Amino acid sequence: MIELRTAAQIEEMRPAGRFVADVVTTLAEAADVGVNLLELDELAHQMIRDRGAESCYIDYHPSFGASPFGKVLCTSVNDAVLHGLPRDYVLQDGDLLSVDFAASVDGWVSDSAYSLVVGTARQEDLSLIATTQRALEAGIAAAQAGNKVGDISHAIATVAREAGLRINTQFGGHGVGRTMHGDPHIPNDGRPGRGYTLKPGLVIAIEPWFLHTTDEIFTDADGWTLRSMDGSRGAHMEHTIAVTEDGPLVLTAREHEPVLRGGLAAQA
């Protein structure tokens, strides 16, 4: 069921958005060569405890998950692109890391994801991240009252296709509110002018994710981590936004983008 929020409720959702944005920024800045994925998960967990927030992941057990997730953060490295279960792995020079984090503050949820390279970056990885970021921005720009879900999906896909990327529609954006996942589903490809009409008060997560050379994925033996079929690397970007009369409001907007410290700045 698709739920619309009042203007007052959207204001109540702002603290959750700010908290999720702060956690993602802190994690991106903490990620470096030699850092263990479990350290990043513990950092996020400590921030949850300090804020009095609640994790959306630790007890999460949807039909596609082998067991309750058990961690508070998704960490996907290199050929892993989604739902990366944190493990005892030390980041290596040149690793492409995606972090995905959702939490509830005062009963409201926000969800955000971010990709970056630790250490020495490959140009193709920086280009993939930049394309994914542009697709996110295009999707957000299309989230205007009166448009359709298909307009968001088409905007994302247009950026991806211009970059020569293939698109998987199994996993994508979704409604956000009292729980992490709700209606409507926001696929990363679609036809303009089709689907649910966007109305003021709709709160959704928009999340493009792409792989270098494929759109096919498989589930790792851990029962959660989704990896590319051909071993190519992936990138994932996500924001929680509210549709308003004045345009899209990005609830998880970050004060700065840590990945721009690297090679992306030259491409901006």
Side-chain angles (χ1 to χ4, degrees):
M1 186 177 77
I2 296 174
E3 297 183 85
L4 301 179
R5 309 300 174 184
T6 66
Q9 287 176 322
I10 290 173
E11 286 301 308
E12 292 173 2
M13 298 180 81
R14 285 182 183 268
R18 285 194 296 269
F19 173 67
V20 168
D22 288 346
V23 172
V24 170
T25 298
T26 299
L27 293 168
E29 292 176 341
D32 204 351
V33 176
V35 173
N36 196 301
L37 297 182
L38 296 178
E39 294 178 67
L40 294 177
D41 185 72
E42 177 53 33
L43 174 57
H45 207 161
Q46 186 61 53
M47 292 183 74
I48 289 172
R49 289 191 289 262
D50 291 346
R51 181 61 176 79
E54 295 182 11
S55 170
C56 293
Y57 290 171
I58 199 162
D59 296 321
Y60 187 52
H61 190 187
S63 60
F64 56 80
S67 61
F69 192 71
K71 303 294 183 183
V72 301
L73 175 69
C74 291
T75 52
S76 303
V77 181
N78 296 333
D79 67 318
V81 68
L82 295 174
H83 307 164
L85 185 64
R87 58 192 173 92
D88 185 12
Y89 175 80
V90 175
L91 290 169
Q92 306 296 307
D93 186 44
D95 277 347
L96 198 170
L97 169 68
S98 299
V99 296
D100 190 356
F101 178 75
S104 174
V105 175
D106 301 327
W108 294 108
V109 171
S110 269
D111 191 2
S112 187
Y114 198 66
S115 292
L116 72 159
V117 177
V118 299
T120 308
R122 304 179 186 180
Q123 185 58 44
E124 59 265 32
D125 288 343
L126 294 178
S127 296
L128 180 65
I129 293 171
T131 297
T132 310
Q133 177 65 29
R134 288 197 305 274
L136 174 60
E137 292 167 357
I140 292 171
Q144 305 286 341
N147 279 357
K148 306 281 190 176
V149 164
D151 294 313
I152 297 175
S153 302
H154 179 71
I156 291 169
T158 297
V159 174
R161 289 204 172 90
E162 287 175 350
L165 298 175
R166 296 168 65 179
I167 305 164
N168 180 299
T169 56
Q170 291 172 263
F171 297 93
H174 48 87
V176 178
R178 294 293 188 182
T179 60
M180 179 171 58
H181 288 145
D183 293 327
H185 174 58
I186 315 289
N188 289 323
D189 192 7
R191 297 175 65 182
R194 297 295 183 93
Y196 176 77
T197 300
L198 306 179
K199 300 178 178 67
L202 180 69
V203 180
I204 55 176
I206 298 174
E207 53 178 315
W209 60 275
F210 307 117
L211 297 156
H212 274 306
T213 56
T214 187
D215 59 355
E216 297 183 10
I217 53 178
F218 71 95
T219 304
D220 187 90
D222 65 16
W224 275 99
T225 305
L226 296 178
R227 299 184 180 277
S228 67
M229 287 294 291
D230 65 358
S232 61
R233 296 182 173 209
H236 178 201
M237 294 287 191
E238 177 182 18
H239 271 312
T240 296
I241 69 108
V243 177
T244 78
E245 293 283 6
D246 299 322
L249 171 65
V250 182
L251 295 170
T252 51
R254 294 177 287 270
E255 291 186 4
H256 63 280
E257 305 291 335
V259 75
L260 294 182
R261 293 174 302 171
L264 280 181
Q267 298 182 25

